Amino acid sequence: MRESKIKPVGSATLTYNNKSYELPAFSGTEGPEVLDIRKLYGDADVFTYDPGFTSTASCESDITFIDGDKGILLYRGYSIDQLAEHSNFLEVCYLLLHGELPSKAEMAKFDKAITFHTMVHEQLAQFFRGFRRDAHPMAVMCGVVGALSAFYHDSTDINDRRQREIASHRLIAKMPTLAAMAYKYSMGQPFVYPLNTLGYTENFLRMTFSVPAEEYKVNPVLAKALDTIFILHADHEQNASTSTVRLAGSSGANPFACIAAGIACLWGPAHGGANEAALKMLEEIGTVDRIPEYVKKAKDPDDNFRLSGFGHRVYKNYDPRAKAMQIQCHKVLDEIGHHDDPTLKIAVALEKIALEDDYFVQRKLYPNIDFYSGITLRALGFPTSMFTALFALARTVGWIAQWKEMLEDPHQKIGRPRQIYTGKQQRDYTPLTKR
Ligand code: SDX
């Protein structure tokens, strides 16, 4: 079990209805301190109110730290730009799951454990055939990942440490296989089995883009760029989909069902669906001279249009992943000889215009990870509909690490927020004859 590491740093006094309540304050290693309100309802018969949980810490966590004002993102204390430059996705998976960078022997053992689980049960392929060919890959992923719990009964007991570990390895290993199968199914092409002599990301590219009729050679530059993109998407503190996974896991649901819940939440255009929405928006803008029209729409309080790929609940500075994504974007476009990608030109111009516009400056709206990822993923050969499935593939390790941490937290209870009720007070039933 995980030991609590928060340190008492005094308290706050709340005065309510002429009574005073002491709220203990705690600090972690980085970031804002917290006021512990766990006893408030019992003592004062009052709830706190925080729609969207903008000021609420739902848990203690050692995994990821974000400083939204400084634009800092750390995985287990390592900055995202250092990991993007020096590490690889599977090593980052180990780091997120275990808290430390692996030794050579630990990495070899982990690599083997993941590689061993890349195939899926042969009957799972039947599930794809139940979908229309034009089904959105995220609809397919929600379905087939949830279905994994029907095939791997030997790793659904969340109270068994070894079963939790096997389920974690299975999910990290099988997500690329399932995502590639979703793509192949949409293309009407045969599924391609994993080739365990390839690395994690190379294997995924081959399962996605190779066809039985031809030899397929992985482009190492593109594979490295995609591997780095996976690192950028791996975890992000208590975002909406991670909170969904934690909440699902808090009821004791099996890990496959929890990850399927996370995939469903990630699909939303305000969250992981923003990369698909951002590219569609850039393509709809079409030319640089149409940018002011769209910026005007985004600023119009009566228009619910928002610039996809802009703004963030936490980052009130440049999303450090957006910078790293821009670097990968240029590497990929250079490699495929598409330096003058017209959509990139619009993105760069839109970013410049928005960052000089008072509306965005005052609201501290900057490009986020989704702003450049769409251009990059399209250049890698993925259709727009696959973008969020790729986000889910990469975020699975973050969801799993957070799920594992929650289960090992002695303070963990079933998540059950309350509400402020504004409905009708009790009243008697009126028979139909009298209505
Ligand atoms: C991800 O949480 C995470 O960590 C998520 C994520 C992860 O890795 O898990 O980082 C991944 O989801 C990134 C975000 C991707 N979403 C988008 O790019 C969609 C566009 N962005 C917005 O929908 C919005 O910025 C959110 C949802 C990201 C954040 O919303 P908030 O924190 O609720 O911000 P807000 O709605 O309170 O906005 C504050 C103001 C509002 O205007 P006013 O009411 O003050 O007049 O800023 C405006 C908003 O209207 N605003 C935007 C805008 N985003 C916010 N206006 C125009 N375009 C935008 N993109």
Side-chain angles (χ1 to χ4, degrees):
M1 290 308 253
R2 185 183 176 281
E3 283 306 307
S4 173
K5 299 170 189 161
I6 55 177
K7 295 184 204 64
V9 287
S11 65
T13 305
L14 173 73
T15 305
Y16 179 66
N17 281 348
N18 303 320
K19 273 192 180 172
S20 294
Y21 303 92
E22 284 304 295
L23 302 177
F26 294 97
S27 83
T29 43
E30 291 278 5
E33 294 171 349
V34 296
L35 294 180
D36 186 341
I37 57 164
R38 281 176 285 189
K39 293 200 169 67
L40 183 62
Y41 174 53
D43 294 349
D45 194 26
V46 66
F47 293 143
T48 57
Y49 182 54
D50 184 17
F53 313 117
T54 49
S55 306
T56 296
S58 63
C59 62
E60 255 188 68
S61 181
D62 304 340
I63 300 172
T64 293
F65 175 69
I66 301 171
D67 182 322
D69 294 326
K70 296 191 188 118
I72 290 171
L73 168 58
L74 307 177
Y75 289 166
R76 301 285 191 179
Y78 296 98
S79 71
I80 194 67
D81 44 317
Q82 284 191 15
L83 290 171
E85 193 182 340
H86 302 299
S87 187
N88 62 69
F89 181 66
L90 218 44
E91 181 178 75
V92 167
C93 286
Y94 184 97
L95 174 66
L96 288 170
L97 287 173
H98 299 286
E100 297 297 337
L101 289 169
S103 65
K104 233 175 167 172
E106 287 164 338
M107 190 61 224
K109 186 167 172 252
F110 183 69
D111 191 305
K112 190 163 176 288
I114 298 299
T115 304
F116 183 73
H117 285 295
T118 49
M119 286 181 73
V120 293
H121 191 293
E122 195 59 14
Q123 274 181 246
L124 256 172
Q126 311 307 327
F127 278 83
F128 288 82
R129 291 183 174 74
F131 291 99
R132 287 172 37 152
R133 290 278 177 180
D134 61 352
H136 193 290
M138 285 298 275
V140 176
M141 293 300 281
C142 285
V144 292
V145 172
L148 290 176
S149 42
F151 285 84
Y152 298 109
H153 298 128
D154 61 340
S155 61
T156 52
D157 176 358
I158 60 152
N159 299 307
D160 177 321
R161 194 178 161 287
R162 179 63 189 133
Q163 289 199 31
R164 290 204 302 268
E165 185 180 42
I166 297 175
S168 307
H169 291 169
R170 278 176 165 154
L171 279 156
I172 293 166
K174 297 180 195 304
M175 282 298 277
T177 310
L178 294 172
M181 290 171 79
Y183 171 73
K184 282 307 199 191
Y185 185 69
S186 72
M187 298 292 286
Q189 291 179 354
F191 296 142
V192 175
Y193 288 105
L195 192 56
N196 291 348
T197 50
L198 293 176
Y200 187 88
T201 305
E202 291 82 356
N203 213 352
F204 171 62
L205 283 169
R206 182 179 167 279
M207 289 189 283
T208 305
F209 294 123
S210 77
V211 287
E214 284 175 16
E215 276 304 303
Y216 178 79
K217 204 172 161 337
V218 178
N219 177 320
V221 174
L222 301 185
K224 177 65 187 152
L226 183 58
D227 193 79
T228 305
I229 290 167
F230 286 164
I231 291 175
L232 299 177
H233 287 82
D235 192 49
H236 212 238
E237 198 212 70
Q238 305 310 317
N239 59 84
S241 53
T242 297
S243 299
T244 300
V245 171
R246 278 180 172 259
L247 204 50
S250 74
S251 76
N254 75 69
F256 305 105
C258 294
I259 298 304
I263 293 172
C265 177
L266 186 75
W267 194 1
H271 189 13
N275 51 19
E276 179 176 352
L279 187 67
K280 283 188 176 146
M281 174 189 74
L282 293 169
E283 288 172 338
E284 187 188 318
I285 293 173
T287 55
V288 172
D289 58 1
R290 292 185 65 199
I291 289 175
E293 172 194 335
Y294 282 83
V295 169
K296 187 162 175 282
K297 269 173 69 70
K299 291 159 60 175
D300 179 355
D302 299 323
D303 188 332
N304 60 13
F305 172 78
R306 287 191 167 180
L307 290 185
S308 287
F310 253 82
H312 198 275
R313 172 57 56 80
V314 177
Y315 288 123
K316 300 308 171 190
N317 193 330
Y318 214 95
D319 181 339
R321 302 169 299 174
K323 281 198 186 89
M325 181 58 74
Q326 226 178 346
I327 293 167
Q328 297 312 318
C329 188
H330 286 292
K331 278 185 183 166
V332 169
L333 292 176
D334 287 351
E335 177 64 16
I336 65 170
H338 207 164
H339 326 272
D340 55 355
D341 182 316
T343 318
L344 177 64
K345 279 203 172 64
I346 295 168
V348 171
L350 172 57
E351 176 186 350
K352 189 171 180 309
I353 292 169
L355 295 187
E356 288 164 0
D357 183 301
D358 249 2
Y359 173 92
F360 294 89
V361 173
Q362 273 163 25
R363 290 167 178 79
K364 299 185 178 178
L365 301 175
Y366 292 88
N368 59 46
I369 187 164
D370 298 299
F371 190 64
Y372 288 102
S373 63
I375 300 165
T376 316
L377 296 175
R378 184 183 61 178
L380 283 166
F382 296 101
T384 317
S385 61
M386 275 296 290
F387 291 0
T388 311
L390 296 173
F391 195 148
L393 185 167
R395 185 53 61 87
T396 293
V397 63
W399 289 331
I400 286 286
Q402 299 271 352
W403 168 79
K404 179 172 168 282
E405 183 178 68
M406 176 208 59
L407 289 177
E408 291 164 359
D409 183 339
H411 298 291
Q412 114 81 13
K413 290 186 166 58
I414 186 165
R416 209 280 185 213
R418 300 303 303 272
Q419 63 178 14
I420 179 164
Y421 178 68
T422 53
K424 296 282 187 199
Q425 290 181 310
Q426 187 163 359
R427 53 182 172 163
D428 293 329
Y429 179 80
T430 313
L432 186 60
T433 51
K434 295 208 169 126
R435 273 179 265 156

mmCIF file with all atom_site columns, all heavy atoms in Angstrom, residues 125-144:
data_model
loop_
_atom_site.group_PDB
_atom_site.id
_atom_site.type_symbol
_atom_site.label_atom_id
_atom_site.label_alt_id
_atom_site.label_comp_id
_atom_site.label_asym_id
_atom_site.label_entity_id
_atom_site.label_seq_id
_atom_site.pdbx_PDB_ins_code
_atom_site.Cartn_x
_atom_site.Cartn_y
_atom_site.Cartn_z
_atom_site.occupancy
_atom_site.B_iso_or_equiv
_atom_site.pdbx_formal_charge
_atom_site.auth_seq_id
_atom_site.auth_comp_id
_atom_site.auth_asym_id
_atom_site.auth_atom_id
_atom_site.pdbx_PDB_model_num
ATOM 1   N N   . ALA A 1 125 ? -11.133 -10.430 -33.057 1.00 0.00 ? 125 ALA A N   1
ATOM 2   C CA  . ALA A 1 125 ? -11.243 -9.885  -34.416 1.00 0.00 ? 125 ALA A CA  1
ATOM 3   C C   . ALA A 1 125 ? -12.703 -9.894  -34.878 1.00 0.00 ? 125 ALA A C   1
ATOM 4   O O   . ALA A 1 125 ? -13.129 -9.044  -35.657 1.00 0.00 ? 125 ALA A O   1
ATOM 5   C CB  . ALA A 1 125 ? -10.377 -10.699 -35.374 1.00 0.00 ? 125 ALA A CB  1
ATOM 6   N N   . GLN A 1 126 ? -13.490 -10.863 -34.316 1.00 0.00 ? 126 GLN A N   1
ATOM 7   C CA  . GLN A 1 126 ? -14.917 -10.911 -34.724 1.00 0.00 ? 126 GLN A CA  1
ATOM 8   C C   . GLN A 1 126 ? -15.650 -9.644  -34.297 1.00 0.00 ? 126 GLN A C   1
ATOM 9   O O   . GLN A 1 126 ? -16.607 -9.220  -34.928 1.00 0.00 ? 126 GLN A O   1
ATOM 10  C CB  . GLN A 1 126 ? -15.629 -12.124 -34.071 1.00 0.00 ? 126 GLN A CB  1
ATOM 11  C CG  . GLN A 1 126 ? -14.914 -13.436 -34.215 1.00 0.00 ? 126 GLN A CG  1
ATOM 12  C CD  . GLN A 1 126 ? -14.564 -13.755 -35.660 1.00 0.00 ? 126 GLN A CD  1
ATOM 13  O OE1 . GLN A 1 126 ? -15.305 -13.394 -36.577 1.00 0.00 ? 126 GLN A OE1 1
ATOM 14  N NE2 . GLN A 1 126 ? -13.420 -14.374 -35.876 1.00 0.00 ? 126 GLN A NE2 1
ATOM 15  N N   . PHE A 1 127 ? -15.213 -9.034  -33.182 1.00 0.00 ? 127 PHE A N   1
ATOM 16  C CA  . PHE A 1 127 ? -15.930 -7.847  -32.686 1.00 0.00 ? 127 PHE A CA  1
ATOM 17  C C   . PHE A 1 127 ? -15.924 -6.741  -33.718 1.00 0.00 ? 127 PHE A C   1
ATOM 18  O O   . PHE A 1 127 ? -16.884 -6.006  -33.893 1.00 0.00 ? 127 PHE A O   1
ATOM 19  C CB  . PHE A 1 127 ? -15.260 -7.313  -31.404 1.00 0.00 ? 127 PHE A CB  1
ATOM 20  C CG  . PHE A 1 127 ? -15.678 -8.035  -30.174 1.00 0.00 ? 127 PHE A CG  1
ATOM 21  C CD1 . PHE A 1 127 ? -15.078 -9.224  -29.818 1.00 0.00 ? 127 PHE A CD1 1
ATOM 22  C CD2 . PHE A 1 127 ? -16.698 -7.549  -29.386 1.00 0.00 ? 127 PHE A CD2 1
ATOM 23  C CE1 . PHE A 1 127 ? -15.475 -9.912  -28.685 1.00 0.00 ? 127 PHE A CE1 1
ATOM 24  C CE2 . PHE A 1 127 ? -17.102 -8.226  -28.248 1.00 0.00 ? 127 PHE A CE2 1
ATOM 25  C CZ  . PHE A 1 127 ? -16.490 -9.413  -27.896 1.00 0.00 ? 127 PHE A CZ  1
ATOM 26  N N   . PHE A 1 128 ? -14.788 -6.624  -34.444 1.00 0.00 ? 128 PHE A N   1
ATOM 27  C CA  . PHE A 1 128 ? -14.684 -5.529  -35.413 1.00 0.00 ? 128 PHE A CA  1
ATOM 28  C C   . PHE A 1 128 ? -15.746 -5.692  -36.485 1.00 0.00 ? 128 PHE A C   1
ATOM 29  O O   . PHE A 1 128 ? -16.327 -4.719  -36.961 1.00 0.00 ? 128 PHE A O   1
ATOM 30  C CB  . PHE A 1 128 ? -13.275 -5.516  -36.030 1.00 0.00 ? 128 PHE A CB  1
ATOM 31  C CG  . PHE A 1 128 ? -12.211 -5.049  -35.071 1.00 0.00 ? 128 PHE A CG  1
ATOM 32  C CD1 . PHE A 1 128 ? -11.667 -5.927  -34.141 1.00 0.00 ? 128 PHE A CD1 1
ATOM 33  C CD2 . PHE A 1 128 ? -11.806 -3.723  -35.062 1.00 0.00 ? 128 PHE A CD2 1
ATOM 34  C CE1 . PHE A 1 128 ? -10.707 -5.483  -33.228 1.00 0.00 ? 128 PHE A CE1 1
ATOM 35  C CE2 . PHE A 1 128 ? -10.841 -3.270  -34.155 1.00 0.00 ? 128 PHE A CE2 1
ATOM 36  C CZ  . PHE A 1 128 ? -10.288 -4.159  -33.239 1.00 0.00 ? 128 PHE A CZ  1
ATOM 37  N N   . ARG A 1 129 ? -16.020 -6.962  -36.826 1.00 0.00 ? 129 ARG A N   1
ATOM 38  C CA  . ARG A 1 129 ? -16.933 -7.200  -37.958 1.00 0.00 ? 129 ARG A CA  1
ATOM 39  C C   . ARG A 1 129 ? -18.366 -6.787  -37.624 1.00 0.00 ? 129 ARG A C   1
ATOM 40  O O   . ARG A 1 129 ? -19.209 -6.671  -38.478 1.00 0.00 ? 129 ARG A O   1
ATOM 41  C CB  . ARG A 1 129 ? -16.852 -8.669  -38.396 1.00 0.00 ? 129 ARG A CB  1
ATOM 42  C CG  . ARG A 1 129 ? -15.500 -8.951  -39.034 1.00 0.00 ? 129 ARG A CG  1
ATOM 43  C CD  . ARG A 1 129 ? -15.286 -10.340 -39.592 1.00 0.00 ? 129 ARG A CD  1
ATOM 44  N NE  . ARG A 1 129 ? -13.995 -10.373 -40.295 1.00 0.00 ? 129 ARG A NE  1
ATOM 45  C CZ  . ARG A 1 129 ? -12.813 -10.379 -39.668 1.00 0.00 ? 129 ARG A CZ  1
ATOM 46  N NH1 . ARG A 1 129 ? -12.790 -10.355 -38.349 1.00 0.00 ? 129 ARG A NH1 1
ATOM 47  N NH2 . ARG A 1 129 ? -11.674 -10.366 -40.344 1.00 0.00 ? 129 ARG A NH2 1
ATOM 48  N N   . GLY A 1 130 ? -18.627 -6.535  -36.331 1.00 0.00 ? 130 GLY A N   1
ATOM 49  C CA  . GLY A 1 130 ? -19.976 -6.089  -35.956 1.00 0.00 ? 130 GLY A CA  1
ATOM 50  C C   . GLY A 1 130 ? -20.159 -4.592  -36.209 1.00 0.00 ? 130 GLY A C   1
ATOM 51  O O   . GLY A 1 130 ? -21.273 -4.077  -36.215 1.00 0.00 ? 130 GLY A O   1
ATOM 52  N N   . PHE A 1 131 ? -19.059 -3.867  -36.436 1.00 0.00 ? 131 PHE A N   1
ATOM 53  C CA  . PHE A 1 131 ? -19.159 -2.413  -36.652 1.00 0.00 ? 131 PHE A CA  1
ATOM 54  C C   . PHE A 1 131 ? -19.302 -2.114  -38.141 1.00 0.00 ? 131 PHE A C   1
ATOM 55  O O   . PHE A 1 131 ? -18.821 -2.855  -38.982 1.00 0.00 ? 131 PHE A O   1
ATOM 56  C CB  . PHE A 1 131 ? -17.897 -1.711  -36.138 1.00 0.00 ? 131 PHE A CB  1
ATOM 57  C CG  . PHE A 1 131 ? -17.755 -1.735  -34.633 1.00 0.00 ? 131 PHE A CG  1
ATOM 58  C CD1 . PHE A 1 131 ? -16.931 -2.664  -34.016 1.00 0.00 ? 131 PHE A CD1 1
ATOM 59  C CD2 . PHE A 1 131 ? -18.468 -0.834  -33.839 1.00 0.00 ? 131 PHE A CD2 1
ATOM 60  C CE1 . PHE A 1 131 ? -16.796 -2.703  -32.628 1.00 0.00 ? 131 PHE A CE1 1
ATOM 61  C CE2 . PHE A 1 131 ? -18.339 -0.859  -32.450 1.00 0.00 ? 131 PHE A CE2 1
ATOM 62  C CZ  . PHE A 1 131 ? -17.502 -1.793  -31.841 1.00 0.00 ? 131 PHE A CZ  1
ATOM 63  N N   . ARG A 1 132 ? -19.944 -0.983  -38.453 1.00 0.00 ? 132 ARG A N   1
ATOM 64  C CA  . ARG A 1 132 ? -19.912 -0.495  -39.851 1.00 0.00 ? 132 ARG A CA  1
ATOM 65  C C   . ARG A 1 132 ? -18.468 -0.145  -40.175 1.00 0.00 ? 132 ARG A C   1
ATOM 66  O O   . ARG A 1 132 ? -17.694 0.226   -39.296 1.00 0.00 ? 132 ARG A O   1
ATOM 67  C CB  . ARG A 1 132 ? -20.781 0.771   -39.957 1.00 0.00 ? 132 ARG A CB  1
ATOM 68  C CG  . ARG A 1 132 ? -22.269 0.502   -39.893 1.00 0.00 ? 132 ARG A CG  1
ATOM 69  C CD  . ARG A 1 132 ? -23.087 1.769   -39.811 1.00 0.00 ? 132 ARG A CD  1
ATOM 70  N NE  . ARG A 1 132 ? -22.554 2.868   -40.609 1.00 0.00 ? 132 ARG A NE  1
ATOM 71  C CZ  . ARG A 1 132 ? -23.342 3.838   -41.120 1.00 0.00 ? 132 ARG A CZ  1
ATOM 72  N NH1 . ARG A 1 132 ? -24.644 3.790   -40.913 1.00 0.00 ? 132 ARG A NH1 1
ATOM 73  N NH2 . ARG A 1 132 ? -22.845 4.830   -41.801 1.00 0.00 ? 132 ARG A NH2 1
ATOM 74  N N   . ARG A 1 133 ? -18.104 -0.243  -41.435 1.00 0.00 ? 133 ARG A N   1
ATOM 75  C CA  . ARG A 1 133 ? -16.716 0.075   -41.841 1.00 0.00 ? 133 ARG A CA  1
ATOM 76  C C   . ARG A 1 133 ? -16.397 1.544   -41.543 1.00 0.00 ? 133 ARG A C   1
ATOM 77  O O   . ARG A 1 133 ? -15.247 1.901   -41.299 1.00 0.00 ? 133 ARG A O   1
ATOM 78  C CB  . ARG A 1 133 ? -16.514 -0.201  -43.335 1.00 0.00 ? 133 ARG A CB  1
ATOM 79  C CG  . ARG A 1 133 ? -16.513 -1.666  -43.697 1.00 0.00 ? 133 ARG A CG  1
ATOM 80  C CD  . ARG A 1 133 ? -15.189 -2.346  -43.471 1.00 0.00 ? 133 ARG A CD  1
ATOM 81  N NE  . ARG A 1 133 ? -15.258 -3.798  -43.773 1.00 0.00 ? 133 ARG A NE  1
ATOM 82  C CZ  . ARG A 1 133 ? -14.223 -4.619  -43.662 1.00 0.00 ? 133 ARG A CZ  1
ATOM 83  N NH1 . ARG A 1 133 ? -13.057 -4.172  -43.263 1.00 0.00 ? 133 ARG A NH1 1
ATOM 84  N NH2 . ARG A 1 133 ? -14.336 -5.893  -43.922 1.00 0.00 ? 133 ARG A NH2 1
ATOM 85  N N   . ASP A 1 134 ? -17.461 2.389   -41.573 1.00 0.00 ? 134 ASP A N   1
ATOM 86  C CA  . ASP A 1 134 ? -17.180 3.827   -41.364 1.00 0.00 ? 134 ASP A CA  1
ATOM 87  C C   . ASP A 1 134 ? -17.403 4.233   -39.907 1.00 0.00 ? 134 ASP A C   1
ATOM 88  O O   . ASP A 1 134 ? -17.518 5.415   -39.592 1.00 0.00 ? 134 ASP A O   1
ATOM 89  C CB  . ASP A 1 134 ? -18.072 4.675   -42.299 1.00 0.00 ? 134 ASP A CB  1
ATOM 90  C CG  . ASP A 1 134 ? -19.562 4.465   -42.009 1.00 0.00 ? 134 ASP A CG  1
ATOM 91  O OD1 . ASP A 1 134 ? -19.895 3.554   -41.185 1.00 0.00 ? 134 ASP A OD1 1
ATOM 92  O OD2 . ASP A 1 134 ? -20.390 5.174   -42.601 1.00 0.00 ? 134 ASP A OD2 1
ATOM 93  N N   . ALA A 1 135 ? -17.452 3.227   -39.015 1.00 0.00 ? 135 ALA A N   1
ATOM 94  C CA  . ALA A 1 135 ? -17.580 3.558   -37.578 1.00 0.00 ? 135 ALA A CA  1
ATOM 95  C C   . ALA A 1 135 ? -16.361 4.374   -37.157 1.00 0.00 ? 135 ALA A C   1
ATOM 96  O O   . ALA A 1 135 ? -15.244 4.117   -37.614 1.00 0.00 ? 135 ALA A O   1
ATOM 97  C CB  . ALA A 1 135 ? -17.652 2.273   -36.764 1.00 0.00 ? 135 ALA A CB  1
ATOM 98  N N   . HIS A 1 136 ? -16.552 5.354   -36.260 1.00 0.00 ? 136 HIS A N   1
ATOM 99  C CA  . HIS A 1 136 ? -15.413 6.144   -35.786 1.00 0.00 ? 136 HIS A CA  1
ATOM 100 C C   . HIS A 1 136 ? -14.484 5.223   -34.976 1.00 0.00 ? 136 HIS A C   1
ATOM 101 O O   . HIS A 1 136 ? -14.967 4.474   -34.118 1.00 0.00 ? 136 HIS A O   1
ATOM 102 C CB  . HIS A 1 136 ? -15.895 7.313   -34.921 1.00 0.00 ? 136 HIS A CB  1
ATOM 103 C CG  . HIS A 1 136 ? -14.831 8.331   -34.667 1.00 0.00 ? 136 HIS A CG  1
ATOM 104 N ND1 . HIS A 1 136 ? -13.749 8.080   -33.864 1.00 0.00 ? 136 HIS A ND1 1
ATOM 105 C CD2 . HIS A 1 136 ? -14.667 9.573   -35.159 1.00 0.00 ? 136 HIS A CD2 1
ATOM 106 C CE1 . HIS A 1 136 ? -12.967 9.164   -33.842 1.00 0.00 ? 136 HIS A CE1 1
ATOM 107 N NE2 . HIS A 1 136 ? -13.487 10.075  -34.619 1.00 0.00 ? 136 HIS A NE2 1
ATOM 108 N N   . PRO A 1 137 ? -13.190 5.251   -35.221 1.00 0.00 ? 137 PRO A N   1
ATOM 109 C CA  . PRO A 1 137 ? -12.268 4.373   -34.492 1.00 0.00 ? 137 PRO A CA  1
ATOM 110 C C   . PRO A 1 137 ? -12.413 4.464   -32.974 1.00 0.00 ? 137 PRO A C   1
ATOM 111 O O   . PRO A 1 137 ? -12.222 3.475   -32.271 1.00 0.00 ? 137 PRO A O   1
ATOM 112 C CB  . PRO A 1 137 ? -10.890 4.858   -34.948 1.00 0.00 ? 137 PRO A CB  1
ATOM 113 C CG  . PRO A 1 137 ? -11.124 5.421   -36.306 1.00 0.00 ? 137 PRO A CG  1
ATOM 114 C CD  . PRO A 1 137 ? -12.486 6.049   -36.254 1.00 0.00 ? 137 PRO A CD  1
ATOM 115 N N   . MET A 1 138 ? -12.843 5.623   -32.445 1.00 0.00 ? 138 MET A N   1
ATOM 116 C CA  . MET A 1 138 ? -13.011 5.715   -30.990 1.00 0.00 ? 138 MET A CA  1
ATOM 117 C C   . MET A 1 138 ? -14.236 4.927   -30.529 1.00 0.00 ? 138 MET A C   1
ATOM 118 O O   . MET A 1 138 ? -14.252 4.368   -29.436 1.00 0.00 ? 138 MET A O   1
ATOM 119 C CB  . MET A 1 138 ? -13.118 7.186   -30.558 1.00 0.00 ? 138 MET A CB  1
ATOM 120 C CG  . MET A 1 138 ? -11.786 7.897   -30.585 1.00 0.00 ? 138 MET A CG  1
ATOM 121 S SD  . MET A 1 138 ? -10.604 7.151   -29.444 1.00 0.00 ? 138 MET A SD  1
ATOM 122 C CE  . MET A 1 138 ? -11.040 7.988   -27.932 1.00 0.00 ? 138 MET A CE  1
ATOM 123 N N   . ALA A 1 139 ? -15.250 4.827   -31.395 1.00 0.00 ? 139 ALA A N   1
ATOM 124 C CA  . ALA A 1 139 ? -16.414 3.987   -31.046 1.00 0.00 ? 139 ALA A CA  1
ATOM 125 C C   . ALA A 1 139 ? -15.966 2.532   -30.984 1.00 0.00 ? 139 ALA A C   1
ATOM 126 O O   . ALA A 1 139 ? -16.321 1.788   -30.074 1.00 0.00 ? 139 ALA A O   1
ATOM 127 C CB  . ALA A 1 139 ? -17.509 4.181   -32.090 1.00 0.00 ? 139 ALA A CB  1
ATOM 128 N N   . VAL A 1 140 ? -15.112 2.165   -31.939 1.00 0.00 ? 140 VAL A N   1
ATOM 129 C CA  . VAL A 1 140 ? -14.597 0.787   -31.977 1.00 0.00 ? 140 VAL A CA  1
ATOM 130 C C   . VAL A 1 140 ? -13.717 0.521   -30.759 1.00 0.00 ? 140 VAL A C   1
ATOM 131 O O   . VAL A 1 140 ? -13.860 -0.482  -30.068 1.00 0.00 ? 140 VAL A O   1
ATOM 132 C CB  . VAL A 1 140 ? -13.804 0.561   -33.290 1.00 0.00 ? 140 VAL A CB  1
ATOM 133 C CG1 . VAL A 1 140 ? -13.173 -0.811  -33.314 1.00 0.00 ? 140 VAL A CG1 1
ATOM 134 C CG2 . VAL A 1 140 ? -14.707 0.769   -34.498 1.00 0.00 ? 140 VAL A CG2 1
ATOM 135 N N   . MET A 1 141 ? -12.849 1.478   -30.445 1.00 0.00 ? 141 MET A N   1
ATOM 136 C CA  . MET A 1 141 ? -11.923 1.280   -29.309 1.00 0.00 ? 141 MET A CA  1
ATOM 137 C C   . MET A 1 141 ? -12.686 1.167   -27.996 1.00 0.00 ? 141 MET A C   1
ATOM 138 O O   . MET A 1 141 ? -12.365 0.342   -27.147 1.00 0.00 ? 141 MET A O   1
ATOM 139 C CB  . MET A 1 141 ? -10.922 2.448   -29.237 1.00 0.00 ? 141 MET A CB  1
ATOM 140 C CG  . MET A 1 141 ? -9.938  2.522   -30.391 1.00 0.00 ? 141 MET A CG  1
ATOM 141 S SD  . MET A 1 141 ? -8.895  1.070   -30.567 1.00 0.00 ? 141 MET A SD  1
ATOM 142 C CE  . MET A 1 141 ? -7.685  1.390   -29.305 1.00 0.00 ? 141 MET A CE  1
ATOM 143 N N   . CYS A 1 142 ? -13.729 1.980   -27.831 1.00 0.00 ? 142 CYS A N   1
ATOM 144 C CA  . CYS A 1 142 ? -14.542 1.869   -26.600 1.00 0.00 ? 142 CYS A CA  1
ATOM 145 C C   . CYS A 1 142 ? -15.070 0.440   -26.480 1.00 0.00 ? 142 CYS A C   1
ATOM 146 O O   . CYS A 1 142 ? -15.012 -0.185  -25.428 1.00 0.00 ? 142 CYS A O   1
ATOM 147 C CB  . CYS A 1 142 ? -15.748 2.811   -26.661 1.00 0.00 ? 142 CYS A CB  1
ATOM 148 S SG  . CYS A 1 142 ? -15.381 4.525   -26.394 1.00 0.00 ? 142 CYS A SG  1
ATOM 149 N N   . GLY A 1 143 ? -15.537 -0.086  -27.619 1.00 0.00 ? 143 GLY A N   1
ATOM 150 C CA  . GLY A 1 143 ? -16.159 -1.421  -27.626 1.00 0.00 ? 143 GLY A CA  1
ATOM 151 C C   . GLY A 1 143 ? -15.162 -2.535  -27.392 1.00 0.00 ? 143 GLY A C   1
ATOM 152 O O   . GLY A 1 143 ? -15.315 -3.352  -26.482 1.00 0.00 ? 143 GLY A O   1
ATOM 153 N N   . VAL A 1 144 ? -14.087 -2.546  -28.169 1.00 0.00 ? 144 VAL A N   1
ATOM 154 C CA  . VAL A 1 144 ? -13.181 -3.709  -28.106 1.00 0.00 ? 144 VAL A CA  1
ATOM 155 C C   . VAL A 1 144 ? -12.320 -3.692  -26.854 1.00 0.00 ? 144 VAL A C   1
ATOM 156 O O   . VAL A 1 144 ? -11.983 -4.744  -26.302 1.00 0.00 ? 144 VAL A O   1
ATOM 157 C CB  . VAL A 1 144 ? -12.299 -3.824  -29.375 1.00 0.00 ? 144 VAL A CB  1
ATOM 158 C CG1 . VAL A 1 144 ? -13.132 -4.180  -30.594 1.00 0.00 ? 144 VAL A CG1 1
ATOM 159 C CG2 . VAL A 1 144 ? -11.489 -2.591  -29.612 1.00 0.00 ? 144 VAL A CG2 1
#
